[in-house]
């Protein structure tokens, strides 16, 4: 598909999905006069987006901005190994930041696929070879249910020692939900609040996009607004979440960073969702982990998680924010109208469409949504005996209200990637 033309400039976009990982996309604006020489072609703007994750001890956005600038500074003709090497060096220079679910190679392939669509002189791009999807022919991730003895011991020990407050929250509008997530994570990071499990209570339908996703490429915004869905952006990476209040169970876990100390990102996800997996299995619902951050059964995906680390300063403990959305029921027709599901992403799932990926819990239990949530929380003290019910403090409530007004309800925050 040719790029969008504006005079001598063209806007093109390419995507690449890492097998078993995440999707990354590169949108570039190219300046290219008709009949110009290869050396005269320029990339004047770049925007990287996707459902990848970043783990960092400092500003995550700096890495994305530096990758954007690296691409813009490249000169034609472009050779794939040179592009990959330059992007790899940027990743290496950001020693405190880890790109999860994507790589210099998938970034390079996304860029080259974008440039394939542009009207540029012959010889401007020298690729690896045919740019077929990396994910083509991949099998769906294996369902992982049984922990090895070592990790089970670690998980049991950490959950039993966790002084966890459980907050079954009141109904909140979508911007307030994601704002409170940031406020409570920061409070735990600074040691002002203990570890907390917060059950969200949606006041209205919503789409929540990941920190590095492109609003225009992920959501059919006019359709979402017409159907009554608010669109908000959260502080963590990952993919879009489609939520009807009566169809989902959403929770956030906020813990001091030490809770996940020594575990890589894969095992951190499993640690944080261990209580959920154990609770579901106790209720007779088959559940396990699929890939890095999905909760699934043999019937399909049940839910998905996202995380972000908050570094501590000057004696602060730092914090881990982990949130999960489970599908109790789903309106796939509306979801497919509202979300723009990438075919590149679907190719890695070994399924034909997003419809066949989701296996809502309603089809796997006789319990209602509220009964299921009550049963999950009732089992939690078996694993975390220090867990107790609590209410949010006024300081956190106030911080959440302020963040919702100043950032999370603002169009600029929702539309801008960095």
């Amino acid at each position: 598909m040719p790029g969008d033309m504006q005079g001598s400039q063209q806007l093109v976009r390419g995507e690449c999905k890492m097998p078993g990982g995440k999707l990354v996309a590169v949108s570039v604006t190219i300046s290219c006069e008709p009949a110009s020489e290869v050396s005269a072609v320029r990339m004047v703007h770049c925007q990287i987006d996707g459902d990848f994750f970043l783990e960092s001890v400092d500003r995550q956005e700096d890495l994305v901005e530096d990758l954007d600038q690296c691409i813009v500074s490249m000169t034609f003709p472009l050779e794939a190994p040179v592009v990959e090497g330059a992007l790899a060096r940027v990743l290496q220079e950001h020693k405190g930041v880890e790109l999860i679910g994507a790589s210099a190679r998938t970034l390079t392939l996304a860029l080259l696929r974008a440039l394939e669509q542009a009207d540029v002189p012959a010889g401007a791009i020298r690729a690896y070879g045919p740019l077929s999807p990396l994910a083509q022919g991949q099998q769906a991730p294996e369902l992982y249910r049984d922990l090895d003895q070592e990790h089970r011991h670690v998980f049991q020990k950490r959950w039993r020692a966790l002084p966890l407050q459980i907050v079954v929250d009141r109904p909140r509008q979508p911007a307030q939900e994601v704002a409170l997530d940031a406020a409570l994570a920061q409070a735990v990071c600074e040691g002002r609040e203990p570890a907390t499990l917060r059950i969200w209570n949606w006041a209205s339908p919503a789409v929540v996009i990941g920190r590095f996703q492109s609003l225009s490429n992920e959501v059919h915004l006019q359709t979402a607004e017409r159907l009554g869905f608010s669109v908000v952006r959260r502080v963590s990476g990952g993919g879009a979440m489609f939520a009807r209040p009566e169809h989902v169970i959403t929770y956030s876990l906020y813990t001091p960073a030490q809770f996940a100390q020594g575990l890589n990102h894969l095992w951190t996800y499993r640690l944080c969702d261990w209580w959920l997996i154990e609770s579901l299995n106790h209720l007779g619902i088959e559940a396990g982990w699929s890939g890095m951050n999905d909760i699934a059964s043999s019937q399909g995906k049940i839910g998905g998680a996202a995380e972000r680390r908050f570094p501590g300063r000057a004696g602060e403990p730092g914090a881990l924010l982990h949130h999960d959305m489970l599908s109790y029921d789903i309106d796939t027709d509306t979801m497919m109208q509202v979300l723009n599901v990438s075919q590149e992403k679907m190719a890695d799932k070994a399924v034909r469409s997003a419809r066949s990926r989701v296996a809502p819990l309603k089809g796997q239990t006789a319990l209602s949504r509220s009964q299921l949530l009550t049963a999950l929380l009732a089992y939690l003290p078996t694993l975390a005996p220090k867990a107790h019910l609590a209410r949010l403090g006024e300081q956190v409530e106030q911080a959440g209200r302020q963040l919702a007004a100043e950032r999370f309800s603002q169009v600029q925050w929702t539309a801008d990637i960095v």
Side-chain angles (χ1 to χ4, degrees), residues 73-96:
S73 68
M74 293 176 182
T75 57
F76 288 84
L78 291 181
E79 296 189 6
V82 175
V83 173
E84 182 175 349
L87 293 172
R89 285 191 293 275
V90 173
L91 294 175
Q92 292 168 1
E93 289 167 359
H94 286 259
K95 299 184 184 301

Side-chain angles (χ1 to χ4, degrees), residues 178 181 200 234-237 241 250-254 269 273 304-308 321-325:
V178 292
D181 235 15
W200 297 28
R234 63 180 183 269
V235 295
S236 62
M241 298 157 47
T250 310
Y251 73 85
S252 291
L253 177 66
Y254 319 81
Y269 276 94
D273 282 329
E307 288 183 353
R308 178 163 181 172
L321 163 63
H322 175 101
H323 35 209
D324 215 312
M325 179 179 289

Side-chain angles (χ1 to χ4, degrees), residues 22-286:
K22 297 297 176 181
L23 179 114
V24 66
V26 178
S27 299
V28 288
T29 302
I30 302 169
S31 177
C32 181
E33 296 290 344
S36 62
E37 298 292 329
V38 169
S39 60
V41 181
R42 294 285 185 271
M43 289 183 284
V44 297
H45 184 262
C46 175
Q47 180 67 75
I48 294 170
D49 66 86
D51 61 356
F52 53 85
F53 294 93
L54 291 178
E55 285 195 358
S56 69
V57 296
D58 214 329
R59 269 180 45 89
Q60 299 181 346
E61 293 81 0
D62 290 346
L63 173 59
V64 179
E65 292 172 351
D66 286 353
L67 289 169
D68 289 339
Q69 289 304 310
C70 177
I71 290 174
V72 169
S73 68
M74 293 176 182
T75 57
F76 288 84
L78 291 181
E79 296 189 6
V82 175
V83 173
E84 182 175 349
L87 293 172
R89 285 191 293 275
V90 173
L91 294 175
Q92 292 168 1
E93 289 167 359
H94 286 259
K95 299 184 184 301
V97 186
E98 182 183 3
L99 176 62
I100 300 171
S103 66
R105 181 173 174 83
T106 56
L107 282 163
T108 301
L109 287 170
L111 172 61
L112 295 178
R113 289 173 183 171
L115 296 175
E116 275 193 329
Q117 304 170 45
D119 182 14
V120 295
I125 309 164
R126 299 169 188 170
Y128 297 102
L131 299 179
S132 58
L134 286 179
Q136 191 170 12
Q138 293 290 319
Q139 297 298 310
E142 182 180 356
L143 183 65
Y144 186 95
R145 295 186 63 187
D146 299 320
L147 292 175
D148 59 85
Q149 186 174 358
E150 179 181 355
H151 281 100
R152 177 169 287 276
H153 175 72
V154 170
F155 288 10
Q156 287 175 335
K157 183 177 180 180
R158 295 191 185 186
W159 275 96
R160 290 188 66 83
L162 192 65
L164 182 69
Q165 66 175 8
I166 302 171
V167 175
V168 181
D169 208 3
R170 63 177 176 81
R172 298 180 189 271
Q173 293 299 326
Q176 297 170 339
E177 291 282 21
V178 292
L180 188 57
D181 235 15
L184 189 46
Q186 193 61 44
V188 174
C189 176
E190 296 171 1
R192 294 184 285 106
E193 288 286 337
T196 302
L197 178 72
R198 181 173 73 93
I199 307 300
W200 297 28
N201 193 354
W202 297 94
S204 63
V207 173
V208 186
I209 59 175
R211 181 66 186 92
F212 306 106
Q213 289 190 294
S214 164
L215 174 62
S216 60
N217 286 290
E218 296 294 335
V219 184
H220 300 296
L221 192 55
Q222 290 184 341
T223 301
E225 292 174 348
R226 176 172 57 82
L227 295 176
F229 284 79
S230 300
V231 182
V232 294
R233 185 185 296 276
R234 63 180 183 269
V235 295
S236 62
M241 298 157 47
F242 177 84
R244 284 190 182 279
E246 68 276 15
H247 285 179
V248 297
I249 295 174
T250 310
Y251 73 85
S252 291
L253 177 66
Y254 319 81
T255 71
Q258 188 178 6
F259 180 65
Q261 186 175 3
L263 299 176
N264 65 25
H265 61 267
L266 176 65
W267 286 107
T268 298
Y269 276 94
R270 292 178 179 178
L271 170 68
C272 292
D273 282 329
W274 181 64
W275 79 274
L276 174 66
I277 299 298
E278 291 288 302
S279 299
L280 288 171
N281 287 329
H282 174 74
L283 295 172
I285 301 172
E286 178 191 31

